[in-house]
Amino acid sequence: MADASGQPPRHEVTPISDLKIDQVQKSTTEHISDTTPSQSSTSSIPYTTFTRNEKRRLTLLLGLATITSPLTATIYFPLLPLLRNHFQTSAQSINITLTIYIIFQALSPAIFGPLSDSLGRRPVYLLTLSLYVLGNLGLAVNKHSYSVLIALRALQSVGASAAFAVSYGVVADVCVPSERGRMLGPVSMALNLGACVGPVVGGWVAYTSGSYEWVFWVLVIVGAILLLGVGALLPETARSVVGNGSRRKRQSWWEESWYNICKYWLRGHKESASKSENEKHSENEDENLNRSFFQRFRIRNPLACLRMIFHLDAFLVLWMHGSFYAVDYSLVAAVPDIYKSIYHFNELQIGLAYLPRGAGIIIGGYCVGKIMDHNYKVTAKKIGWTVNKVSGDDLDNFPIERVRSRGSLWLLIISTATLISYGWAVSKHAHVSVALILQFVQGFWGTYIYTTYNSLLVDVFPESPSTAAAAASITRCAMAAVAVAVLQPLLDAAGRGWYFTLLGLWSGVFGAVAVWLIRRKGMQWRTGRMEK
């Protein structure tokens, strides 16, 4: 009904995070009805023009490309004694190569993540994979110089570690929020396959050959295959470059995938004078889309992404992601000593002891995508929100924090109980199968938690997804480095049982506080941040 002025009454929408479910449904329904005209004007423009088959190929390609970082990190651990003997140096000196790797593992996404947001995903992938191949090649042929080992280890980390941030950017480019879990799940599975395979390969080398060089030659081959695969098959997806994908055919030939170049050449492809509606729209989207490659090229301050930490909503999400990565890293770092001193495993058996955790990570990575999409649908149904799978939902008025954190409190209870049980099981010399099963459980739920909250970070910073993923990378690497640094002193002081009890309570209690605040205040803080 109109008022005296003839204008329809305006409805004020109370933030969803502060309402009960019945109030949320009423408020959201009113908001949707009020905004229907503007939504209908843009609903014909799809969020992405990438087809389902193209997304499947991207999922496979991203998973394989992202495997470089965990594979390279974990394959190196069993080689430490061999490297110490070969370069005739101390254990502390060889451990510096681990520190160097972690430092550049944090810095690489901070440099290349924001660069991929402006320059494009494809050129950044090609550059970093090239650096990765060169770093491994140098490590394979370096026989005598410890200083060269340090430098090449840094180059190897720079090339391997950027893929994580760039991959999350690609997912945000081509998937609407309600379907990102479908793509993130398999990518997470492939990502963690490297963490599963690496220790086994490294342990086998340390046990059988007594030499390390061929491991780096294997990594050279892996890097070269991935470089050729990305060059041949990966199209540009960055929305700052190709919009929703409709501008892909307007790229320079050297920015296009080699497969498409061959396809167009074989078909005698020529651009038609007529343009689709999406292409017409792309002309009017943003003048930034018309910038040349060199106009888009700019390297930002690699620490600029740390500004995200000072936003309350982002800080809590980063805490959840980073703390569980630190828990997982502590568990991994403690495995060799536990299984060697308690269960008397040799190097090969220690490598195999990582497999249950790896299986949990892979299965968890598969399930996390389906659970994330299910949580999205359930929450949308509760508040009466119609999911837009074509243009994507406007997350400014959608409680994405509640979606991603749904069920997290129960998972924290399970994770805390698992860590405490693991500590006392190995402390009391329980059968090895008990410890291995608990590693599987922690691998499963740990992967779920830090994958889900990394996705939430990308959701709340939609304009710069790779920059958000870079902030997550710096945070988790910093927390993991601290966790590993205090690991041995705490184990010596408290013993394994009490150490893992403290670790479980630390992650569980502070995690519960973070989840409670995210669900109660997350959307309100996000809205306030975006209005500034």
Side-chain angles (χ1 to χ4, degrees):
M1 182 179 293
D3 58 21
S5 63
Q7 298 295 325
R10 297 179 62 184
H11 299 284
E12 292 191 13
V13 182
T14 307
I16 291 176
S17 58
D18 295 338
L19 297 176
K20 296 180 180 179
I21 291 298
D22 57 343
Q23 293 173 312
V24 170
Q25 184 169 355
K26 178 180 178 181
S27 175
T28 307
T29 304
E30 291 175 351
H31 174 74
I32 292 173
S33 63
D34 286 344
T35 56
T36 299
S38 61
Q39 289 174 345
S40 63
S41 63
T42 60
S43 61
S44 61
I45 303 168
Y47 181 84
T48 180
T49 60
F50 285 88
T51 65
R52 185 173 296 274
N53 286 334
E54 287 178 314
K55 291 179 185 178
R56 287 178 181 144
R57 288 195 294 269
L58 280 174
T59 301
L60 177 61
L61 195 59
L62 293 180
L64 293 176
T66 313
I67 202 174
T68 54
S69 182
L71 175 66
T72 307
T74 56
I75 202 174
Y76 193 77
F77 290 129
L79 302 180
L80 297 180
L82 297 177
L83 291 169
R84 184 173 65 247
N85 294 332
H86 181 85
F87 289 97
Q88 299 180 348
T89 187
S90 66
Q92 183 178 2
S93 297
I94 290 298
N95 285 343
I96 291 177
T97 64
L98 295 177
T99 305
I100 290 294
Y101 190 90
I102 293 176
I103 290 173
F104 283 91
Q105 190 179 32
L107 290 178
S108 180
I111 297 171
F112 294 108
L115 184 61
S116 75
D117 283 336
S118 59
L119 185 64
R121 317 294 182 202
R122 177 180 166 80
V124 170
Y125 253 134
L126 292 174
L127 172 61
T128 54
L129 284 173
S130 297
L131 294 177
Y132 179 70
V133 171
L134 291 175
N136 284 308
L137 181 61
L139 288 167
V141 299
N142 177 43
K143 303 293 185 181
H144 306 293
S145 176
Y146 170 76
S147 58
V148 172
L149 174 68
I150 292 287
L152 291 174
R153 184 68 170 158
L155 182 63
Q156 182 192 46
S157 182
V158 168
S161 304
F164 174 83
V166 181
S167 294
Y168 270 86
V170 174
V171 173
D173 292 335
V174 303
C175 288
V176 296
S178 62
E179 296 183 346
R180 284 177 186 168
R182 183 181 303 172
M183 194 168 184
L184 281 175
V187 170
S188 179
M189 285 176 60
L191 167 67
N192 290 294
L193 180 63
C196 178
V197 173
V200 178
V201 175
W204 182 74
V205 171
Y207 181 70
T208 59
S209 69
S211 178
Y212 68 89
E213 291 93 341
W214 78 269
V215 172
F216 295 121
W217 283 114
V218 169
L219 293 179
V220 168
I221 296 172
V222 169
I225 292 173
L226 292 175
L227 179 61
L228 291 174
V230 168
L233 301 175
L234 182 68
E236 183 56 70
T237 65
R239 301 181 74 83
S240 62
V241 180
V242 297
N244 66 348
S246 58
R247 294 179 58 90
R248 282 184 287 168
K249 294 181 180 179
R250 303 183 185 186
Q251 292 178 275
S252 301
W253 65 269
W254 50 273
E255 294 182 275
E256 187 59 86
S257 68
W258 304 333
Y259 171 77
N260 284 339
I261 292 175
C262 294
K263 183 175 67 175
Y264 296 151
W265 181 78
L266 291 174
R267 292 180 179 178
H269 177 76
K270 294 182 179 180
E271 287 291 335
S272 173
S274 62
K275 300 175 182 178
S276 67
E277 290 298 319
N278 290 331
E279 291 175 318
K280 290 179 181 179
H281 172 73
S282 66
E283 291 180 344
N284 300 319
E285 276 181 340
D286 188 346
E287 62 181 8
N288 289 333
L289 296 178
N290 296 319
R291 294 181 301 168
S292 68
F293 177 86
F294 294 102
Q295 288 174 324
R296 301 194 308 267
F297 185 89
R298 63 179 186 274
I299 299 179
R300 304 173 185 173
N301 181 355
L303 300 181
C305 60
L306 291 180
R307 288 195 294 257
M308 293 181 180
I309 295 177
F310 298 100
H311 300 297
L312 286 173
D313 60 324
F315 174 81
L316 295 172
V317 176
L318 286 168
W319 174 267
M320 288 298 296
H321 175 77
S323 63
F324 272 86
Y325 187 81
V327 166
D328 191 60
Y329 220 93
S330 299
L331 194 67
V332 169
V335 163
D337 179 64
I338 289 174
Y339 285 88
K340 190 173 185 65
S341 62
I342 296 177
Y343 299 109
H344 308 293
F345 279 18
N346 59 39
E347 286 80 1
L348 177 59
Q349 291 171 323
I350 290 173
L352 294 174
Y354 284 92
L355 286 178
R357 169 185 166 272
I361 288 174
I362 293 173
I363 297 173
Y366 174 79
C367 295
V368 65
K370 295 185 177 298
I371 297 174
M372 284 171 60
D373 288 347
H374 172 74
N375 288 343
Y376 196 103
K377 294 175 184 177
V378 169
T379 304
K381 184 177 180 180
K382 283 184 177 180
I383 65 174
W385 184 280
T386 302
V387 177
N388 189 337
K389 294 185 178 181
V390 178
S391 301
D393 294 318
D394 179 12
L395 297 184
D396 292 351
N397 299 296
F398 184 76
I400 190 65
E401 291 85 358
R402 287 180 175 268
V403 172
R404 302 305 188 208
S405 62
R406 186 173 182 265
S408 291
L409 291 176
W410 290 107
L411 299 184
L412 289 172
I413 293 173
I414 295 173
S415 176
T416 300
T418 302
L419 286 171
I420 294 174
S421 300
Y422 181 79
W424 290 108
V426 297
S427 180
K428 299 299 183 181
H429 296 201
H431 192 272
V432 66
S433 61
V434 176
L436 294 176
I437 291 171
L438 291 172
Q439 282 182 213
F440 170 86
V441 175
Q442 185 59 32
F444 184 95
W445 292 120
T447 296
Y448 177 88
I449 290 175
Y450 60 73
T451 300
T452 298
Y453 283 92
N454 193 80
S455 177
L456 176 57
L457 190 68
V458 171
D459 290 330
V460 298
F461 288 95
E463 71 285 353
S464 51
S466 286
T467 303
S473 179
I474 288 181
T475 303
R476 75 171 187 271
C477 287
M479 296 182 74
V482 173
V484 172
V486 302
L487 172 65
Q488 197 59 48
L490 288 178
L491 282 173
D492 294 338
R496 297 185 180 94
W498 285 111
Y499 168 76
F500 282 102
T501 297
L502 292 173
L503 187 65
L505 292 175
W506 170 77
S507 61
V509 172
F510 285 103
V513 173
V515 169
W516 184 81
L517 288 172
I518 288 171
R519 293 183 66 81
R520 294 281 296 180
K521 297 290 185 180
M523 185 175 180
Q524 177 183 332
W525 288 334
R526 169 166 58 97
T527 302
R529 166 173 58 83
M530 296 175 67
E531 289 176 351
K532 291 181 181 180

